[in-house]
Amino acid sequence: MTARAKPLFAANWKMFKGPLEAEEFAGSFSSLYAAHPDRRVAFFPPAISLEAFVRATEQRPDLEAGIQDVHEEVDGAHTGAISALMAAQVGLTWALAGHSERRREFGDDDALVSAKVCRILDSGLKPIVCIGETLEEREAGMLSEVLERQIRAVLASVDGEPLTWAYEPVWAIGTGLTASPDDAGEAHEIVREAIRGGGGGELADSAVILYGGSVKPGNIEQLMAVPGVDGVLVGGASLDPETFASICACSLGAR
Ligand code: PGA
């Protein structure tokens, strides 16, 4: 298991907060949340706000940042796109890949997500690979099948590098519905076993697996107490500095 990995609290801002709001948030959050040496905190602002956010948190090395998506190629004639190498120049740590909104709205399928993960690793950034089932897939009894397919596609294209994953049931994203601790625990176990099957025991044991989907102050402690949950990826509840600060400062119990 991941006894050594510090829990990660990640904020996915999606298409919210331009540079001005990102800077303002950074100021408020920094005064509300004191660095906790036992955990990591990372923000994923829109790409256009990254530089402002990184500058505004210069005095807070405990607050990391990442990009929400990158192009699958190193460079080229791809109007509007951003490469992982460019993102790395801004002083980021992380990059998301395969968020369900990218999969649904932009056609990021398993092959594309895997290519993006490779570019992210090449650039020196750390990928957070998002995976998860839709409600239809869950109801059809396809939970394991979907997660295994998404995981194997990525593991088949990387070279054994340790990865961070975010299990986000699509039906829980932005809906107010959260997986029960039992459901989250079961899914995290499936994810770790699929990593073991596709990449071996060492990779499975070192994998950091976040939970995402309607995480909020009222359920964070319950979710963080689930065995196998190594952190959270928070959307809506990360947009308000006070709310996200209370999530990040939650009690980690006997972890
Ligand atoms: P949510 O989003 O917390 O608003 O459900 C989570 C995510 O999409 O990462």
PDB file of all heavy atoms in Angstrom, residues 10-35:
ATOM      1  N   ALA A  10      -6.180  17.829  -4.341  1.00  0.00           N
ATOM      2  CA  ALA A  10      -6.020  18.523  -5.622  1.00  0.00           C
ATOM      3  C   ALA A  10      -7.304  19.251  -6.000  1.00  0.00           C
ATOM      4  O   ALA A  10      -8.405  18.720  -5.815  1.00  0.00           O
ATOM      5  CB  ALA A  10      -5.639  17.511  -6.700  1.00  0.00           C
ATOM      6  N   ALA A  11      -7.134  20.459  -6.528  1.00  0.00           N
ATOM      7  CA  ALA A  11      -8.267  21.312  -6.901  1.00  0.00           C
ATOM      8  C   ALA A  11      -8.328  21.428  -8.418  1.00  0.00           C
ATOM      9  O   ALA A  11      -7.399  21.961  -9.038  1.00  0.00           O
ATOM     10  CB  ALA A  11      -8.091  22.698  -6.278  1.00  0.00           C
ATOM     11  N   ASN A  12      -9.405  20.924  -9.014  1.00  0.00           N
ATOM     12  CA  ASN A  12      -9.593  21.047 -10.459  1.00  0.00           C
ATOM     13  C   ASN A  12     -10.584  22.180 -10.709  1.00  0.00           C
ATOM     14  O   ASN A  12     -11.787  22.006 -10.507  1.00  0.00           O
ATOM     15  CB  ASN A  12     -10.118  19.709 -11.019  1.00  0.00           C
ATOM     16  CG  ASN A  12     -10.442  19.808 -12.495  1.00  0.00           C
ATOM     17  OD1 ASN A  12     -10.064  20.762 -13.170  1.00  0.00           O
ATOM     18  ND2 ASN A  12     -11.153  18.808 -13.000  1.00  0.00           N
ATOM     19  N   TRP A  13     -10.073  23.311 -11.173  1.00  0.00           N
ATOM     20  CA  TRP A  13     -10.938  24.480 -11.342  1.00  0.00           C
ATOM     21  C   TRP A  13     -11.727  24.464 -12.650  1.00  0.00           C
ATOM     22  O   TRP A  13     -12.564  25.326 -12.873  1.00  0.00           O
ATOM     23  CB  TRP A  13     -10.107  25.765 -11.255  1.00  0.00           C
ATOM     24  CG  TRP A  13      -9.696  26.110  -9.860  1.00  0.00           C
ATOM     25  CD1 TRP A  13     -10.064  25.466  -8.709  1.00  0.00           C
ATOM     26  CD2 TRP A  13      -8.855  27.190  -9.460  1.00  0.00           C
ATOM     27  NE1 TRP A  13      -9.511  26.086  -7.626  1.00  0.00           N
ATOM     28  CE2 TRP A  13      -8.759  27.147  -8.053  1.00  0.00           C
ATOM     29  CE3 TRP A  13      -8.166  28.201 -10.148  1.00  0.00           C
ATOM     30  CZ2 TRP A  13      -8.000  28.071  -7.334  1.00  0.00           C
ATOM     31  CZ3 TRP A  13      -7.416  29.122  -9.435  1.00  0.00           C
ATOM     32  CH2 TRP A  13      -7.331  29.056  -8.040  1.00  0.00           C
ATOM     33  N   LYS A  14     -11.411  23.520 -13.529  1.00  0.00           N
ATOM     34  CA  LYS A  14     -12.122  23.432 -14.809  1.00  0.00           C
ATOM     35  C   LYS A  14     -12.101  24.806 -15.498  1.00  0.00           C
ATOM     36  O   LYS A  14     -11.096  25.496 -15.415  1.00  0.00           O
ATOM     37  CB  LYS A  14     -13.543  22.907 -14.574  1.00  0.00           C
ATOM     38  CG  LYS A  14     -13.526  21.657 -13.689  1.00  0.00           C
ATOM     39  CD  LYS A  14     -14.823  20.941 -13.602  1.00  0.00           C
ATOM     40  CE  LYS A  14     -14.654  19.715 -12.705  1.00  0.00           C
ATOM     41  NZ  LYS A  14     -15.799  18.831 -12.702  1.00  0.00           N
ATOM     42  N   MET A  15     -13.211  25.225 -16.135  1.00  0.00           N
ATOM     43  CA  MET A  15     -13.174  26.526 -16.829  1.00  0.00           C
ATOM     44  C   MET A  15     -13.732  27.633 -15.933  1.00  0.00           C
ATOM     45  O   MET A  15     -14.686  28.332 -16.275  1.00  0.00           O
ATOM     46  CB  MET A  15     -13.943  26.455 -18.162  1.00  0.00           C
ATOM     47  CG  MET A  15     -13.531  27.570 -19.126  1.00  0.00           C
ATOM     48  SD  MET A  15     -14.307  27.408 -20.755  1.00  0.00           S
ATOM     49  CE  MET A  15     -15.980  27.893 -20.411  1.00  0.00           C
ATOM     50  N   PHE A  16     -13.114  27.752 -14.748  1.00  0.00           N
ATOM     51  CA  PHE A  16     -13.460  28.815 -13.815  1.00  0.00           C
ATOM     52  C   PHE A  16     -12.170  29.535 -13.401  1.00  0.00           C
ATOM     53  O   PHE A  16     -11.138  28.884 -13.252  1.00  0.00           O
ATOM     54  CB  PHE A  16     -14.120  28.245 -12.548  1.00  0.00           C
ATOM     55  CG  PHE A  16     -15.469  27.618 -12.808  1.00  0.00           C
ATOM     56  CD1 PHE A  16     -15.584  26.243 -12.926  1.00  0.00           C
ATOM     57  CD2 PHE A  16     -16.607  28.400 -12.937  1.00  0.00           C
ATOM     58  CE1 PHE A  16     -16.825  25.661 -13.160  1.00  0.00           C
ATOM     59  CE2 PHE A  16     -17.855  27.812 -13.173  1.00  0.00           C
ATOM     60  CZ  PHE A  16     -17.957  26.436 -13.288  1.00  0.00           C
ATOM     61  N   LYS A  17     -12.245  30.812 -13.189  1.00  0.00           N
ATOM     62  CA  LYS A  17     -11.179  31.675 -12.672  1.00  0.00           C
ATOM     63  C   LYS A  17     -10.130  32.035 -13.727  1.00  0.00           C
ATOM     64  O   LYS A  17      -9.262  31.235 -14.077  1.00  0.00           O
ATOM     65  CB  LYS A  17     -10.480  31.051 -11.444  1.00  0.00           C
ATOM     66  CG  LYS A  17     -11.437  30.836 -10.258  1.00  0.00           C
ATOM     67  CD  LYS A  17     -10.667  30.513  -8.995  1.00  0.00           C
ATOM     68  CE  LYS A  17     -11.607  30.049  -7.902  1.00  0.00           C
ATOM     69  NZ  LYS A  17     -12.583  31.075  -7.475  1.00  0.00           N
ATOM     70  N   GLY A  18     -10.230  33.275 -14.195  1.00  0.00           N
ATOM     71  CA  GLY A  18      -9.195  33.854 -15.036  1.00  0.00           C
ATOM     72  C   GLY A  18      -8.013  34.250 -14.171  1.00  0.00           C
ATOM     73  O   GLY A  18      -8.033  34.061 -12.948  1.00  0.00           O
ATOM     74  N   PRO A  19      -6.976  34.849 -14.789  1.00  0.00           N
ATOM     75  CA  PRO A  19      -5.768  35.218 -14.027  1.00  0.00           C
ATOM     76  C   PRO A  19      -6.055  36.099 -12.813  1.00  0.00           C
ATOM     77  O   PRO A  19      -5.452  35.899 -11.754  1.00  0.00           O
ATOM     78  CB  PRO A  19      -4.918  35.963 -15.059  1.00  0.00           C
ATOM     79  CG  PRO A  19      -5.411  35.473 -16.382  1.00  0.00           C
ATOM     80  CD  PRO A  19      -6.855  35.106 -16.218  1.00  0.00           C
ATOM     81  N   LEU A  20      -6.994  37.026 -12.948  1.00  0.00           N
ATOM     82  CA  LEU A  20      -7.262  37.936 -11.821  1.00  0.00           C
ATOM     83  C   LEU A  20      -7.881  37.192 -10.647  1.00  0.00           C
ATOM     84  O   LEU A  20      -7.486  37.360  -9.492  1.00  0.00           O
ATOM     85  CB  LEU A  20      -8.198  39.080 -12.253  1.00  0.00           C
ATOM     86  CG  LEU A  20      -7.649  39.995 -13.348  1.00  0.00           C
ATOM     87  CD1 LEU A  20      -8.677  41.043 -13.736  1.00  0.00           C
ATOM     88  CD2 LEU A  20      -6.344  40.652 -12.881  1.00  0.00           C
ATOM     89  N   GLU A  21      -8.857  36.334 -10.963  1.00  0.00           N
ATOM     90  CA  GLU A  21      -9.510  35.577  -9.881  1.00  0.00           C
ATOM     91  C   GLU A  21      -8.554  34.541  -9.283  1.00  0.00           C
ATOM     92  O   GLU A  21      -8.609  34.253  -8.089  1.00  0.00           O
ATOM     93  CB  GLU A  21     -10.760  34.855 -10.395  1.00  0.00           C
ATOM     94  CG  GLU A  21     -11.909  35.767 -10.786  1.00  0.00           C
ATOM     95  CD  GLU A  21     -11.949  36.062 -12.268  1.00  0.00           C
ATOM     96  OE1 GLU A  21     -11.318  35.324 -13.040  1.00  0.00           O
ATOM     97  OE2 GLU A  21     -12.605  37.045 -12.663  1.00  0.00           O
ATOM     98  N   ALA A  22      -7.687  33.994 -10.115  1.00  0.00           N
ATOM     99  CA  ALA A  22      -6.729  33.000  -9.615  1.00  0.00           C
ATOM    100  C   ALA A  22      -5.780  33.652  -8.610  1.00  0.00           C
ATOM    101  O   ALA A  22      -5.450  33.079  -7.563  1.00  0.00           O
ATOM    102  CB  ALA A  22      -5.951  32.392 -10.780  1.00  0.00           C
ATOM    103  N   GLU A  23      -5.366  34.861  -8.936  1.00  0.00           N
ATOM    104  CA  GLU A  23      -4.449  35.594  -8.053  1.00  0.00           C
ATOM    105  C   GLU A  23      -5.148  35.931  -6.730  1.00  0.00           C
ATOM    106  O   GLU A  23      -4.576  35.768  -5.651  1.00  0.00           O
ATOM    107  CB  GLU A  23      -4.026  36.876  -8.775  1.00  0.00           C
ATOM    108  CG  GLU A  23      -2.770  37.475  -8.234  1.00  0.00           C
ATOM    109  CD  GLU A  23      -2.380  38.742  -8.992  1.00  0.00           C
ATOM    110  OE1 GLU A  23      -2.628  38.815 -10.225  1.00  0.00           O
ATOM    111  OE2 GLU A  23      -1.860  39.646  -8.335  1.00  0.00           O
ATOM    112  N   GLU A  24      -6.381  36.364  -6.861  1.00  0.00           N
ATOM    113  CA  GLU A  24      -7.161  36.716  -5.672  1.00  0.00           C
ATOM    114  C   GLU A  24      -7.367  35.481  -4.783  1.00  0.00           C
ATOM    115  O   GLU A  24      -7.207  35.538  -3.565  1.00  0.00           O
ATOM    116  CB  GLU A  24      -8.528  37.228  -6.145  1.00  0.00           C
ATOM    117  CG  GLU A  24      -9.286  38.050  -5.130  1.00  0.00           C
ATOM    118  CD  GLU A  24     -10.609  38.509  -5.736  1.00  0.00           C
ATOM    119  OE1 GLU A  24     -10.636  38.878  -6.929  1.00  0.00           O
ATOM    120  OE2 GLU A  24     -11.612  38.455  -5.026  1.00  0.00           O
ATOM    121  N   PHE A  25      -7.693  34.364  -5.415  1.00  0.00           N
ATOM    122  CA  PHE A  25      -7.881  33.109  -4.670  1.00  0.00           C
ATOM    123  C   PHE A  25      -6.597  32.749  -3.932  1.00  0.00           C
ATOM    124  O   PHE A  25      -6.621  32.377  -2.752  1.00  0.00           O
ATOM    125  CB  PHE A  25      -8.275  31.977  -5.627  1.00  0.00           C
ATOM    126  CG  PHE A  25      -8.489  30.652  -4.936  1.00  0.00           C
ATOM    127  CD1 PHE A  25      -9.772  30.144  -4.760  1.00  0.00           C
ATOM    128  CD2 PHE A  25      -7.412  29.914  -4.454  1.00  0.00           C
ATOM    129  CE1 PHE A  25      -9.962  28.930  -4.107  1.00  0.00           C
ATOM    130  CE2 PHE A  25      -7.603  28.695  -3.814  1.00  0.00           C
ATOM    131  CZ  PHE A  25      -8.876  28.206  -3.641  1.00  0.00           C
ATOM    132  N   ALA A  26      -5.459  32.861  -4.638  1.00  0.00           N
ATOM    133  CA  ALA A  26      -4.171  32.468  -4.044  1.00  0.00           C
ATOM    134  C   ALA A  26      -3.914  33.268  -2.769  1.00  0.00           C
ATOM    135  O   ALA A  26      -3.459  32.716  -1.755  1.00  0.00           O
ATOM    136  CB  ALA A  26      -3.039  32.671  -5.052  1.00  0.00           C
ATOM    137  N   GLY A  27      -4.240  34.561  -2.812  1.00  0.00           N
ATOM    138  CA  GLY A  27      -4.042  35.413  -1.633  1.00  0.00           C
ATOM    139  C   GLY A  27      -4.919  34.952  -0.479  1.00  0.00           C
ATOM    140  O   GLY A  27      -4.448  34.778   0.655  1.00  0.00           O
ATOM    141  N   SER A  28      -6.211  34.736  -0.750  1.00  0.00           N
ATOM    142  CA  SER A  28      -7.130  34.329   0.323  1.00  0.00           C
ATOM    143  C   SER A  28      -6.753  32.955   0.860  1.00  0.00           C
ATOM    144  O   SER A  28      -6.685  32.748   2.076  1.00  0.00           O
ATOM    145  CB  SER A  28      -8.572  34.228  -0.165  1.00  0.00           C
ATOM    146  OG  SER A  28      -8.914  35.310  -0.931  1.00  0.00           O
ATOM    147  N   PHE A  29      -6.508  32.022  -0.047  1.00  0.00           N
ATOM    148  CA  PHE A  29      -6.229  30.650   0.398  1.00  0.00           C
ATOM    149  C   PHE A  29      -4.970  30.606   1.260  1.00  0.00           C
ATOM    150  O   PHE A  29      -4.930  29.932   2.286  1.00  0.00           O
ATOM    151  CB  PHE A  29      -6.101  29.716  -0.812  1.00  0.00           C
ATOM    152  CG  PHE A  29      -5.954  28.275  -0.425  1.00  0.00           C
ATOM    153  CD1 PHE A  29      -7.068  27.504  -0.136  1.00  0.00           C
ATOM    154  CD2 PHE A  29      -4.700  27.689  -0.333  1.00  0.00           C
ATOM    155  CE1 PHE A  29      -6.949  26.164   0.239  1.00  0.00           C
ATOM    156  CE2 PHE A  29      -4.561  26.353   0.037  1.00  0.00           C
ATOM    157  CZ  PHE A  29      -5.690  25.593   0.328  1.00  0.00           C
ATOM    158  N   SER A  30      -3.944  31.361   0.838  1.00  0.00           N
ATOM    159  CA  SER A  30      -2.677  31.355   1.583  1.00  0.00           C
ATOM    160  C   SER A  30      -2.876  31.846   3.010  1.00  0.00           C
ATOM    161  O   SER A  30      -2.174  31.405   3.926  1.00  0.00           O
ATOM    162  CB  SER A  30      -1.631  32.239   0.899  1.00  0.00           C
ATOM    163  OG  SER A  30      -1.416  31.773  -0.398  1.00  0.00           O
ATOM    164  N   SER A  31      -3.812  32.774   3.205  1.00  0.00           N
ATOM    165  CA  SER A  31      -4.004  33.252   4.574  1.00  0.00           C
ATOM    166  C   SER A  31      -4.919  32.311   5.361  1.00  0.00           C
ATOM    167  O   SER A  31      -4.897  32.296   6.584  1.00  0.00           O
ATOM    168  CB  SER A  31      -4.543  34.689   4.585  1.00  0.00           C
ATOM    169  OG  SER A  31      -5.777  34.728   3.934  1.00  0.00           O
ATOM    170  N   LEU A  32      -5.726  31.497   4.672  1.00  0.00           N
ATOM    171  CA  LEU A  32      -6.654  30.600   5.370  1.00  0.00           C
ATOM    172  C   LEU A  32      -6.047  29.231   5.674  1.00  0.00           C
ATOM    173  O   LEU A  32      -6.476  28.530   6.578  1.00  0.00           O
ATOM    174  CB  LEU A  32      -7.903  30.372   4.503  1.00  0.00           C
ATOM    175  CG  LEU A  32      -8.843  31.559   4.331  1.00  0.00           C
ATOM    176  CD1 LEU A  32      -9.782  31.337   3.147  1.00  0.00           C
ATOM    177  CD2 LEU A  32      -9.649  31.747   5.612  1.00  0.00           C
ATOM    178  N   TYR A  33      -5.065  28.825   4.857  1.00  0.00           N
ATOM    179  CA  TYR A  33      -4.515  27.473   4.984  1.00  0.00           C
ATOM    180  C   TYR A  33      -3.016  27.547   5.258  1.00  0.00           C
ATOM    181  O   TYR A  33      -2.251  28.040   4.424  1.00  0.00           O
ATOM    182  CB  TYR A  33      -4.782  26.670   3.700  1.00  0.00           C
ATOM    183  CG  TYR A  33      -4.131  25.298   3.714  1.00  0.00           C
ATOM    184  CD1 TYR A  33      -4.698  24.243   4.421  1.00  0.00           C
ATOM    185  CD2 TYR A  33      -2.924  25.079   3.040  1.00  0.00           C
ATOM    186  CE1 TYR A  33      -4.079  23.001   4.452  1.00  0.00           C
ATOM    187  CE2 TYR A  33      -2.308  23.837   3.061  1.00  0.00           C
ATOM    188  CZ  TYR A  33      -2.887  22.804   3.767  1.00  0.00           C
ATOM    189  OH  TYR A  33      -2.281  21.579   3.802  1.00  0.00           O
ATOM    190  N   ALA A  34      -2.615  27.058   6.433  1.00  0.00           N
ATOM    191  CA  ALA A  34      -1.186  27.014   6.760  1.00  0.00           C
ATOM    192  C   ALA A  34      -0.615  25.701   6.231  1.00  0.00           C
ATOM    193  O   ALA A  34      -1.310  24.687   6.211  1.00  0.00           O
ATOM    194  CB  ALA A  34      -1.020  27.075   8.273  1.00  0.00           C
ATOM    195  N   ALA A  35       0.639  25.731   5.794  1.00  0.00           N
ATOM    196  CA  ALA A  35       1.267  24.518   5.255  1.00  0.00           C
ATOM    197  C   ALA A  35       1.177  23.378   6.264  1.00  0.00           C
ATOM    198  O   ALA A  35       1.439  23.561   7.447  1.00  0.00           O
ATOM    199  CB  ALA A  35       2.723  24.811   4.918  1.00  0.00           C
TER     200      ALA A  35
END
